[in-house]
Amino acid sequence: ETTMNHTPRIRDKWANRQLCIGTTATLSDPTVSELIGEAGFDFVWIDMEHSAMTLADAAHHVRAARASGAASWIRVPSEDLTVVKPILELHPAGVIVPRIDSVERAESAVRSCRYPPRGIRGYGPSRGVRYGLISPAEYLADIDNQLMVHLQIEHIDAVNDIENILDVPGFDSVLVGPSDLSLSMNLVGQPDHPDVQAAIETIFKAAIKKNIPAGHSVGFDTSIQKWIDMGISWIACDGDWNLLMKQCNKMLEDITQMASR
């Protein structure tokens, strides 16, 4: 695939109303992203917000994801231009911008990720132009199709102004941060509270009504059926360390039971 990031496949699945499924990589070893791709996931969520992952680590994850067939989506620490710019030069399939709490923050996120005249991103690609195999003109003509920008709604203020946020041009999908959203609602540690769940539904219903892809990041349990039935376009379930811990706990429990018989 000449695009280097598998974005067209994601867009094709969305166009055909097919669910895209991914999981999260927070450990620095790129073997994690390679494994996720080999397992058949559509994308790997490379988390640079809540991990010790460096820019060099993320670069290795992006390459591993591409090689194994998964789209690479990097959650950036901030929408600040100086933070986002070197991450964009890794040429991931997409970036997830957290802590969207207003129209202004959404607009700032888009500006930092798009070249002029749509944004303020500075020009200096290397991997994105395939190290010279793609001309600057060809690259600039297609980069907005290649790079997905996902806005992560994480504050009740954004929920209350969701219609205006969804009208901001230049992003590709919207998702929710349930834990931070619950904090903004004074429901500390209660992302499953009915009021938080109602706020999430408000976001998804508004997006789907406007034909904007909506995605969710949740643990794997039967509750995800509700979101799938609602018509979301993608879902990120669990992640490397919690999947590993769940399997370790289960294996240890099973072996202990065998030994006690």
Side-chain angles (χ1 to χ4, degrees):
E1 188 173 11
T2 58
T3 61
M4 297 182 73
N5 61 20
H6 304 295
T7 295
R9 178 166 48 81
I10 298 290
R11 293 195 187 281
D12 286 345
K13 292 191 75 169
W14 286 357
N16 291 306
R17 299 189 179 278
Q18 293 177 298
L19 182 72
C20 289
I21 306 169
T23 190
T24 304
T26 61
L27 304 177
S28 59
D29 192 329
T31 303
V32 174
S33 286
E34 183 179 40
L35 186 153
I36 290 169
E38 292 289 354
F41 285 93
D42 294 296
F43 66 90
V44 52
W45 170 319
I46 302 165
D47 199 346
M48 294 187 71
E49 185 190 20
H50 292 295
S51 75
M53 199 178 295
T54 67
L55 189 64
D57 294 332
H60 294 318
H61 275 277
V62 169
R63 293 188 180 100
R66 182 204 178 193
S68 60
S72 54
W73 293 355
I74 300 178
R75 180 160 66 173
V76 299
S78 164
E79 89 281 359
D80 183 270
L81 179 63
T82 58
V83 174
V84 172
K85 184 163 57 175
I87 297 173
L88 294 174
E89 300 306 357
L90 302 180
H91 197 60
V95 290
I96 299 165
V97 185
R99 298 195 302 279
I100 299 300
D101 57 7
S102 64
V103 168
E104 291 75 20
R105 185 68 67 87
E107 291 173 337
S108 175
V110 172
R111 282 196 305 270
S112 292
C113 295
R114 302 300 188 193
Y115 289 110
R118 300 183 74 186
I120 57 174
R121 177 182 175 185
Y123 185 83
S126 53
R127 188 172 186 272
V129 294
R130 298 184 66 204
Y131 309 103
L133 293 179
I134 296 175
S135 70
E138 184 181 1
Y139 166 78
L140 288 170
D142 199 39
I143 185 58
D144 281 352
N145 291 325
Q146 294 297 316
L147 176 69
M148 290 183 164
V149 177
H150 311 287
L151 301 182
Q152 187 171 24
I153 305 298
E154 299 196 273
H155 200 283
I156 190 60
D157 288 349
V159 179
N160 294 334
D161 198 24
I162 191 61
E163 295 290 340
N164 289 322
I165 289 174
L166 292 174
D167 285 339
V168 171
F171 71 94
D172 296 276
S173 85
V174 64
L175 66 148
V176 183
S179 294
D180 282 336
L181 177 59
S182 68
L183 290 174
S184 76
M185 298 172 69
N186 295 318
L187 295 168
V188 179
Q190 301 180 67
D192 294 326
H193 190 282
D195 290 349
V196 178
Q197 295 297 299
I200 295 172
E201 288 187 29
T202 297
I203 295 168
F204 289 165
K205 288 178 179 177
I208 292 167
K209 185 177 180 180
K210 291 177 179 285
N211 293 316
I212 295 172
H216 206 9
S217 174
V218 292
F220 176 65
D221 57 47
T222 56
S223 68
I224 68 172
Q225 186 68 57
K226 175 178 69 174
W227 308 117
I228 294 171
D229 292 343
M230 187 178 290
I232 63 173
S233 297
W234 61 268
I235 192 162
C237 282
D238 281 338
D240 46 18
W241 59 263
N242 50 341
L243 287 170
L244 181 60
M245 180 59 79
K246 285 179 181 179
Q247 184 60 32
C248 285
N249 282 338
K250 183 179 185 305
M251 182 176 66
L252 181 60
E253 180 181 349
D254 288 348
I255 294 175
T256 300
Q257 289 179 353
M258 292 176 189
S260 64
R261 290 174 182 170

